[in-house]
Amino acid sequence: LSMTSFRSSYRLKRFTTSRDPDFAAALLIYVRNTPANVRTDTNEITYWLDQFSGKFGDEFYVFGFYRDRELVGYAEAAYLREERLIAFDYLTLDEAYRRNNVFYEFVDHLKRYLENEHPEYRYAVAEITYGSNQEYPSQESRLRTRLFKLQGFKVIRAPYYQPRMELDDPESEMKADLLIYSTGDLEKLRTETYLSIVHAIYYKY
């Protein structure tokens, strides 16, 4: 008897316009799988997808992630040129595909894509929120952190909070870990560097 093993294929697609026919389907994955208190309004995402680069000169990315040609994930990211900083945001998989190997492939595809687009980058960061009113990371947050660590990210041991999504929405402010990746051997981070990264995330992205 012979046994045939089937290996899934994965593909990452960048949406460059809100008119892309798969963009709306990707937004639905985002809305279905992202709690309301940490979710950016989809009208804002649509607007900035078409306007961000022209207004600020930095790059805003919206991606769809495909497994065997089926759209299963959504992600946002940005590249801030002055800081040479890649910021990962909103890595979302449909519930049926939230397995370690699929999430790992998602992060790996995103990382390789952005490194190819911006080989001059200095750092890449990812924000992992604990959950609303949580003092410690949820089980899902710990899983995401572990999978980012497999890609070489490290947790910055410093206080970090996700800022409010809206000024009148205090529930959207929550504790988080900020993870960082560097092409060099990064064991310590100067306070000034950390604060400059946080400032860029809060005020430029």
Side-chain angles (χ1 to χ4, degrees):
L1 293 175
S2 63
M3 184 177 293
T4 304
S5 63
F6 295 95
R7 183 178 176 85
S8 295
S9 63
Y10 298 95
R11 179 172 66 92
L12 188 71
K13 176 183 178 180
R14 181 189 180 186
F15 300 118
T16 56
T17 171
S18 60
R19 294 184 296 278
D20 188 298
D22 277 359
F23 172 66
L27 274 184
L28 282 177
I29 291 175
Y30 167 69
V31 171
R32 279 200 307 266
N33 297 280
T34 307
N37 61 339
V38 296
R39 194 169 65 222
T40 302
D41 187 283
T42 55
N43 290 327
E44 287 190 28
I45 296 171
T46 302
Y47 176 81
W48 289 118
L49 174 59
D50 294 328
Q51 303 292 331
F52 191 91
S53 297
K55 282 184 176 290
F56 300 113
D58 295 319
E59 290 291 335
F60 175 58
Y61 294 92
V62 177
F63 297 100
F65 188 57
Y66 298 77
R67 179 180 181 269
D68 297 333
R69 300 186 180 181
E70 182 179 358
L71 181 62
V72 300
Y74 170 92
E76 293 176 27
Y79 181 71
L80 306 179
R81 296 185 187 281
E82 184 178 348
E83 293 81 6
R84 290 190 285 166
L85 179 69
I86 296 170
F88 290 90
D89 202 5
Y90 292 126
L91 274 70
T92 306
L93 284 168
D94 246 342
E95 188 172 2
Y97 299 94
R98 289 184 204 160
R99 297 187 290 274
N100 287 8
N101 61 315
V102 181
F103 189 85
Y104 180 90
E105 290 285 349
F106 198 1
V107 175
D108 186 60
H109 276 68
L110 286 166
K111 182 168 168 282
R112 287 191 284 117
Y113 180 97
L114 291 166
E115 285 180 330
N116 288 334
E117 287 291 303
H118 305 286
E120 75 286 359
Y121 83 101
R122 183 177 295 152
Y123 301 113
V125 293
E127 182 184 81
I128 309 291
T129 56
Y130 288 9
S132 184
N133 298 315
Q134 297 290 320
E135 287 297 315
Y136 301 97
S138 65
Q139 184 176 350
E140 183 176 349
S141 298
R142 290 196 296 269
L143 172 62
R144 286 174 177 252
T145 297
R146 185 168 64 83
L147 292 170
F148 267 103
K149 284 181 173 180
L150 290 174
Q151 288 287 349
F153 283 76
K154 298 179 179 180
V155 177
I156 300 176
R157 299 301 179 187
Y160 185 79
Y161 284 82
Q162 176 193 268
R164 295 183 183 188
M165 306 302 293
E166 302 286 344
L167 290 176
D168 60 352
D169 184 12
E171 294 301 317
S172 65
E173 180 179 303
M174 63 185 70
K175 292 184 72 170
D177 286 327
L178 190 63
L179 280 62
I180 190 166
Y181 176 87
S182 173
T183 53
D185 186 19
L186 185 67
E187 291 298 329
K188 293 184 179 181
L189 195 66
R190 290 183 179 272
T191 302
E192 295 88 344
T193 303
Y194 172 67
L195 292 176
S196 69
I197 290 172
V198 172
H199 186 274
I201 294 170
Y202 280 17
Y203 293 100
K204 296 185 73 174
Y205 180 46

